């Protein structure tokens, strides 16, 4: 909770800056899968990660903040899903400029879903779909607000589609650099 409040405060104050370092997207996916696979199995849920062929293997950007957005979205999906599963997917969108790539990440769950009238409040700080959510599942209501801010810093957007009883789909885009002059030697 304290980390969420600190992150939210940093972004609001304009003092949170993104790192820029080469990273492997597959490594980020494996790391996030490692955090949630046990919990998913214990609930009898499938947790799958996939990507389209045209997604670059290596990217340059802030892997830690990308990971943070995925952790928030997948954590919520697991919290609100009792059967079926969670699918995480990435695909390449249109080019945004030379040396840049825009990717779209999708986190889809087969969970309880969210009523249409509550979707607009989801990305507001300290807000949850309704007060019974806080009582039943806990949380601060900051996770999605932080996701929205981090995605914005990555020059992207985040959206949700949901229907009660049919699950939710969160989509976010982010722009990354394509790394150049990467050494192929492993030390």
């Amino acid at each position: 909770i304290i980390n969420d409040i600190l992150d939210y405060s940093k972004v609001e104050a304009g003092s949170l800056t993104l790192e820029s370092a080469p990273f492997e997207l597959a490594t980020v996916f494996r790391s996030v899968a490692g955090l949630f696979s046990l919990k998913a199995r214990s609930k009898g849920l499938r947790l799958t990660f996939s990507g389209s062929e045209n997604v670059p293997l290596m990217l340059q950007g802030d892997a830690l903040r990308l990971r943070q957005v995925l952790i928030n979205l997948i954590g919520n999906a697991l919290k609100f899903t009792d059967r079926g599963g969670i699918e995480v997917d990435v695909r390449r969108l249109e080019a945004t400029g030379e040396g840049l790539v825009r990717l779209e990440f999708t986190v889809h769950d087969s969970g309880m879903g969210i009523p249409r009238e509550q979707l607009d409040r989801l990305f507001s700080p300290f807000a949850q779909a309704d007060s019974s959510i806080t009582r039943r599942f806990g949380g601060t209501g900051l996770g999605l607000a932080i996701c929205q801010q981090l995605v914005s810093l990555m020059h992207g957007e985040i959206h949700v589609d949901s229907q009660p009883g049919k699950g939710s789909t969160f989509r976010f885009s982010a722009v990354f650099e394509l790394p150049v002059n990467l050494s192929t030697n492993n030390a």
Side-chain angles (χ1 to χ4, degrees):
I1 292 173
I2 291 172
N3 285 336
D4 281 350
I5 292 169
L6 290 174
D7 280 347
Y8 185 78
S9 297
K10 282 181 192 175
V11 174
E12 283 294 300
S15 63
L16 184 102
T17 56
L18 297 181
E19 298 290 321
S20 182
F23 69 93
E24 248 183 46
L25 185 56
T27 302
V28 172
F29 276 4
R30 276 193 302 275
S31 169
V32 173
L35 287 173
F36 293 111
S37 59
L38 187 61
K39 181 168 183 163
R41 273 196 306 272
S42 73
K43 289 183 78 172
L45 301 173
R46 291 179 324 278
L47 175 60
T48 59
F49 290 79
S50 62
S52 62
E53 291 178 10
N54 65 350
V55 173
L57 298 175
M58 293 294 297
L59 300 167
Q60 180 145 337
D62 196 328
L64 180 68
R65 296 305 179 176
L66 172 60
R67 187 174 177 269
Q68 185 176 359
V69 173
L70 289 168
I71 287 170
N72 267 308
L73 296 178
I74 295 167
N76 281 347
L78 274 171
K79 190 187 300 187
F80 299 114
T81 303
D82 290 328
R83 65 180 187 279
I86 294 106
E87 300 165 8
V88 182
D89 186 51
V90 60
R91 69 184 181 107
R92 187 175 187 157
L93 299 177
E94 79 286 346
T96 60
E98 191 170 325
L100 300 175
V101 62
R102 179 180 299 276
L103 300 179
E104 180 183 67
F105 297 84
T106 304
V107 177
H108 173 75
D109 67 63
S110 57
M112 64 174 43
I114 306 159
R116 180 169 302 282
E117 64 274 6
Q118 295 173 351
L119 291 177
D120 291 338
R121 295 193 336 234
L122 279 184
F123 297 102
S124 300
F126 302 106
Q128 292 185 328
D130 64 50
S131 59
S132 68
I133 297 294
T134 304
R135 284 191 304 276
R136 184 170 168 203
F137 296 101
T140 61
L142 275 178
L144 292 176
I146 292 170
C147 285
Q148 185 175 48
Q149 291 175 328
L150 291 175
V151 166
S152 179
L153 286 172
M154 292 186 273
H155 307 287
E157 297 176 347
I158 188 168
H159 304 281
V160 60
D161 294 312
S162 187
Q163 282 187 284
K166 298 198 179 200
S168 301
T169 301
F170 285 84
R171 283 186 179 80
F172 71 94
S173 59
V175 175
F176 299 96
E177 294 176 60
L178 296 171
V180 293
N181 300 329
L182 287 177
S183 171
T184 57
N185 298 332
N186 291 330

